[in-house]
Amino acid sequence: MPSTVIKNGTIVTADLTYTADVKIEGETITEIGTNLSGDTTLDATGCYVMPGGIDPHTHLEMPFMGTYSTDDFHSGTQAALAGGTTMVVDFAIQQPGQTLIEALQMWDNKSGRAHCDFSFHMAITGWDEQVFDDMKTVVQEKGINSFKHFMAYKGAMMVDDDEMYASFQRCAELGALPLVHAENGDVVAQMQAKLMAEGNDGPEGHAYSRPPEVEGEAVNRAIMLADMAGVPLYVVHTSCEQAHEAIRRARQKGMRVYGEPLIQHLVLDESEYFDKDWDHSARRVMSPPFRNKQHQDSLWAGLAAGSLQCVATDHCAFTTEQKRFGVGDFTKIPNGTGGLEDRLPLLWTHGVRTGRLTMNEFVAVTSTNSAKILNMYPKKGAVLAGADADLVVWDPEATKTISAKTQQSAIDYNVFEGMEVTGLPRFTLTRGHVAVEEGTMKSREGHGRFVKREPFQSV
Amino acid sequence: MPSTVIKNGTIVTADLTYTADVKIEGETITEIGTNLSGDTTLDATGCYVMPGGIDPHTHLEMPFMGTYSTDDFHSGTQAALAGGTTMVVDFAIQQPGQTLIEALQMWDNKSGRAHCDFSFHMAITGWDEQVFDDMKTVVQEKGINSFKHFMAYKGAMMVDDDEMYASFQRCAELGALPLVHAENGDVVAQMQAKLMAEGNDGPEGHAYSRPPEVEGEAVNRAIMLADMAGVPLYVVHTSCEQAHEAIRRARQKGMRVYGEPLIQHLVLDESEYFDKDWDHSARRVMSPPFRNKQHQDSLWAGLAAGSLQCVATDHCAFTTEQKRFGVGDFTKIPNGTGGLEDRLPLLWTHGVRTGRLTMNEFVAVTSTNSAKILNMYPKKGAVLAGADADLVVWDPEATKTISAKTQQSAIDYNVFEGMEVTGLPRFTLTRGHVAVEEGTMKSREGHGRFVKREPFQSV
Amino acid sequence: MPSTVIKNGTIVTADLTYTADVKIEGETITEIGTNLSGDTTLDATGCYVMPGGIDPHTHLEMPFMGTYSTDDFHSGTQAALAGGTTMVVDFAIQQPGQTLIEALQMWDNKSGRAHCDFSFHMAITGWDEQVFDDMKTVVQEKGINSFKHFMAYKGAMMVDDDEMYASFQRCAELGALPLVHAENGDVVAQMQAKLMAEGNDGPEGHAYSRPPEVEGEAVNRAIMLADMAGVPLYVVHTSCEQAHEAIRRARQKGMRVYGEPLIQHLVLDESEYFDKDWDHSARRVMSPPFRNKQHQDSLWAGLAAGSLQCVATDHCAFTTEQKRFGVGDFTKIPNGTGGLEDRLPLLWTHGVRTGRLTMNEFVAVTSTNSAKILNMYPKKGAVLAGADADLVVWDPEATKTISAKTQQSAIDYNVFEGMEVTGLPRFTLTRGHVAVEEGTMKSREGHGRFVKREPFQSV
Amino acid sequence: MPSTVIKNGTIVTADLTYTADVKIEGETITEIGTNLSGDTTLDATGCYVMPGGIDPHTHLEMPFMGTYSTDDFHSGTQAALAGGTTMVVDFAIQQPGQTLIEALQMWDNKSGRAHCDFSFHMAITGWDEQVFDDMKTVVQEKGINSFKHFMAYKGAMMVDDDEMYASFQRCAELGALPLVHAENGDVVAQMQAKLMAEGNDGPEGHAYSRPPEVEGEAVNRAIMLADMAGVPLYVVHTSCEQAHEAIRRARQKGMRVYGEPLIQHLVLDESEYFDKDWDHSARRVMSPPFRNKQHQDSLWAGLAAGSLQCVATDHCAFTTEQKRFGVGDFTKIPNGTGGLEDRLPLLWTHGVRTGRLTMNEFVAVTSTNSAKILNMYPKKGAVLAGADADLVVWDPEATKTISAKTQQSAIDYNVFEGMEVTGLPRFTLTRGHVAVEEGTMKSREGHGRFVKREPFQSV
Ligand SMILES: [Zn+2]
Ligand SMILES: [Zn+2]
Ligand SMILES: [Zn+2]
Ligand SMILES: [Zn+2]
Ligand SMILES: [Zn+2]
Ligand SMILES: [Zn+2]
Ligand SMILES: [Zn+2]
Ligand SMILES: [Zn+2]
């Protein structure tokens, strides 16, 4: 078996910082020590050797209004690797008429082109006996232990309290973790209608229709449902203080509730929607929308305090042309932005270099915490002998200016266009394969594999 | 016009404590001053002259499973007067197939026997164009400016978020105040079913099925809906810290949210449900159920701090026989307890005499705040020239032991049986008529009149 | 006795809004009713008749570094009346070597020129048996029931925890209310020294040396001391969320804690200190310094929610020349700004006209609450027969632009210069005398009298 | 070098649970893997192999009123090892007239008998240039990076805000961590005097004199001082919600503040002080005193949520005879209880077995977090090759009843007497030496060594 040694670097994990070489044989880390040697040597002088990033929240090639989000498992995972992320967890979502199992099959098909490893969360978009039964299959046979619930997108994927509570109880039985997209969908729908009726059809209407209170309410409600069902809860894209406060309040009662801020909400704010260029604003339409600086401060503090655990992207990239479906009607603008390629450099730049986060916390929130919460640690998220050789050799002094021109993502713009970052991958390894080297892509289509995740033991 | 003068007392209002005589001509206070004289003199030596109590939350002769709550406008208002309360605000609730206007007519009919004045809140138990239109009539022609929404009682009166938000917006347009019974009805229904399925069919199951988190969630949700609709909110029977915390959080954002603890929740606790006597426990079944001491402390502090405004009873008195509908199935126990006769003496005893509340705060939370919030001040809730002569001459040293044997209420028990109170009415006057004198009832059936309440001005 | 009637106005009190005439005989309101007549008539058409403002916090002719604050009881009370304020409560502060009684004598002497009524708080700036004994005299013979404690101004007026706790216990015995200027003086002193040592000697250094945390900490500490001593607490110049949060936390435990935001902190922010003009910044030097918008939002919400009770000015006006004592050393800039003349118009403009406060709340926070908390209600702060005829006839549509050129204050600038206000006195009456009429001063030197305030009853 | 292998166990660290053997050569872990062999084999079948406990807070042979706390480095460290704790961090405290360096010398002398490793915190009990200078020596030459500050014990070790702020700033310069014993010493002293004057001289007076508010205030104050000084803060013996709330509030602002509950406060409550047996109560006198169940719930939730990090003992064991110094004057009862031997079994029993904490969290709060926060990770607190072989082989099913009769501690009672625990060490290893085997002590006097702790890098 060919071996590779990463030499002269400093290993940084969620737990520890120390100097050692890392030896990889095949797809696996086999040794960590000094003076290791192998067939190939990667020089990590001046660099940190960290677990590759895990993005717990992406939407690659997501069906939408007869088309698909443009970054698929091909371009999307390339973007991931280019930015030091070596695994994505995507959402398998039933289409009308599909069963959970059929939806999963569809996602299996799509993911064949992946350049890095991946796993799935399964979305629950309705409730009946078939769903109840299929959840067991999903957990026990398909290697998926997390179920997503949309509290918004009324008339589409939204579930009501009754359905959500039933599903949460089922999760408790099966040892699965419920996730929520938390916004009050009834209110959003009415606010959208009202704004449109008043002639507010531009992208800023998107932000107006989804204020922080609407998110905070839904988080609070989901927490109560999880508490009653006796199950932990993972709140995706926690974007505001209201949501974060509800999470903190629950945790202080001893509940196991997790919050996931997105890199977009950490570094971009609501002023983006007031840009007079329709395209500029529409490209930034995502749910929840960007918030103001106070909300950002809350999220950063949460990462440092441990009340928020994972930084994700909700990567769901639509081209400008796709965004323009919503000209004249902001409710038709496809929701989503990119971020996979920029998550780690931006978080390093705005988090570690500013002193808000330690390097160990950086690893925790970009990789290790997700691996633990989603039950795939230490196969993923670790620099340990026996772990998958998903690694990033991080050059803390390398810089670049983010630009659509040089990105891996297949879309024609980047919401972070023009931002300078310091801290970039020198090498990104996916299961031992050097997929990125000093900015050059060497990844392989189809290299990525599905990562099974076992159910949780009852606590 | 015959005149009455209350002499030698100390006037206590929400605002002020001072010595003066009060002169009443006909139904109205006409003068406050010294050395007043009239046809009749009531001696208030050693007493406080206060605005009669207003109970903002009663259910007299409420239809229930083919029968009615036993205290009707006859016995219920007698109980009120006996305890120093001179006005009740009852809930007009549509029966299946009725319009709002028809429901109101039904309540008008019932209230003809009232011994003291009364007004109505109108319940919104569904949503369609007729309701939308009728709300205008109710506000503009019927003299009712407050609408109740049940977030629980699934399959019966419960409204969902969409309906509630629509109704709140309608309230905003009309200058009306929305009220909520805040418990998450979906969760309660599932918990009830689960408890019954597990064989927990006794009255304690009622308490287990409605934990504080379920109430707190609903309050939080209603607040968000009111905030989005741009309307104040009144939360009936606030029973726990979770609900109270949500109210405080809203108020600290500048919102106008009001909370109403019940006298039952202030002085009784959850241990009542663990009594081995089925009757004992079942008689105390109400929603929300009684809570523990920590929740009581929270409510008392809220009254002192001003974060909670009104003490009510939710008086809805069923006989033991009626309660026994629920033998073998706690979900069939009629919800409700009495309290009209005991509210003021208990609050004085446990609030004023313990130093938790000042006398002025006592008047505020038993009378004046309700009058202001429901827009009938200073006709009601005041000791002012021009105000209705609804007064209580309060003897702070008079004592009694609460007992069903001596009560005005028509039921066969009293949930406060055996509690000693200090502080009782010497006289209770309803629009100038001395309805109670030293414990003797002199009230008149049919004396009570409907009090019109004007819509609120836009703020 | 000559009589005056205010006709055609709408009476607005903390409690009530209604239409009536007000009759004054001599110095006292004698009748409120319709169709009243008297020797003189003041036309209040289109106006609100409100209790004159009470400023619970001023420093007139305050000794400072061998000079005095420039507005004395002469010019200061003229400024008060011009702005609708009819009473000030000033701080009698011992000078080195003085007893409390001697300090009080000094303040009595100064106040002889007052144009409106006044009272005193007594400052406790050290602790020994003489102070312990004199406090009794002050309360029982001098008509003063409130004692101020400086937690800052180290080496001058500051008291330590031991002294403060002893004084609070003494207040509890005497039925007196402790007040605190809450900033951690040890930290301020060290931060001042550090900033000066680093060459930061400009006025902005003043703000840097007194961050919100330093205020919040002191408020929290004072609350604990009051809680242990069993006495209420009044926190002067509450300027920030940290302080306000501590107050809310205490109130939610059932404690009686009051907070007093200043009009300056409500409408001006910290950006004033970054003005490049030394004079501009130095004129705005006061303690605590102005804060940012988030803190302002917190204060406004507190006034609406009732967690903050009184709006004051801390009026302490120094000329530009006096401010320049601090050129080259910000610690020598005399602390204080004016505000007496502008408090009511600014609060009306930014509070009532924006919908943040009702008119009744405006009266409460500018007048009635202070009267109640300081135990002089309803002699002051009320529109009631028997109350002092301290009244303002308020024209809600009158406008002006604030300017030093037209002010009554004796200093050469105004920190609100150029701000437009809507809402001004048409008439201001002090104990029946029309001191201001449509902007023309008719006040009388020496008209003002000391208002005795009785000790509180034990609760 | 002799080697030992721990076989057939499950390794449990703060990070991870997995099956592997652990090989130890000399004093160090040299290999973790499968099928390891060595000179000696320890069978861990059915056991967890965890980092030995670290107690970050002990007082061994502490001078007190002419005597010493009875457990010294000899008996104290035996007690530690018996309970699975392999390191203690003791407090070196200046005696009157001593310099920091002299105090350290004294502690060095005492620690010669230690059976397990140890380190020191240095107490700062006053402030002058010598202290300022010596702090540098302590940090840079003596291997101590943490300084304790007593905010209580007035007239003895207490420092005031000025001194504490100066010391905190010095810590910031030197890369050291300040610790605080947080209680307002001024208030405690006055309350003690008051209670004694009133004749309340029994042990319950100790609890009355130190209510939670007094602790919460001090924590809040210390946090502000640390924030201003730009240094993290470690709050020892966090016993109540008030203190915990202050810590959470700080953390939510992004501050690095750590809280340390004691095992005593987690499992014992205030009712202990109401025992009629003077000895019973006096033996439990420690500061802060035990609190009620609500405070316990807060502490447990904090350990789960991560807002509290380390469980300690504050082990300071006095005999009943020593406790009786305080007969007739509770202020003379020596403060302190034991706990070293019982900390891990009690936390496992009440934390892990009840589901409140995971096994990984158990390791974190008993060992790893202390090692990280005190900067000695991964030498201590880890199961890693290269780490010191301080290990506990934990039998999760072993049980015993705690009793003074069978304890290692030298005193005549145990505050946990009679409590049953499940979860005990099968083996405890200190730097490779098997000090405890199935309840039999095999530890060696003098085996323990001082652990140097480097200063922190500036963040
Ligand atoms: Zn989403
Ligand atoms: Zn998503
Ligand atoms: Zn209800
Ligand atoms: Zn009701
Ligand atoms: Zn001040
Ligand atoms: Zn002042
Ligand atoms: Zn201590
Ligand atoms: Zn200690």
Side-chain angles (χ1 to χ4, degrees), chain A residues 41-59:
Chain A
T41 299
L42 299 176
D43 181 32
T45 304
C47 288
Y48 299 115
V49 182
M50 307 189 292
I54 297 171
D55 193 330
H57 187 163
T58 67
H59 300 282

Side-chain angles (χ1 to χ4, degrees), chain B residues 67 74 87 92 100 110 131 146 233 271 321 338 386 455:
Chain B
T67 176
H74 175 64
M87 179 174 176
L100 299 185
K110 293 196 282 198
V131 171
S146 48
L233 181 72
S271 64
E321 202 187 334

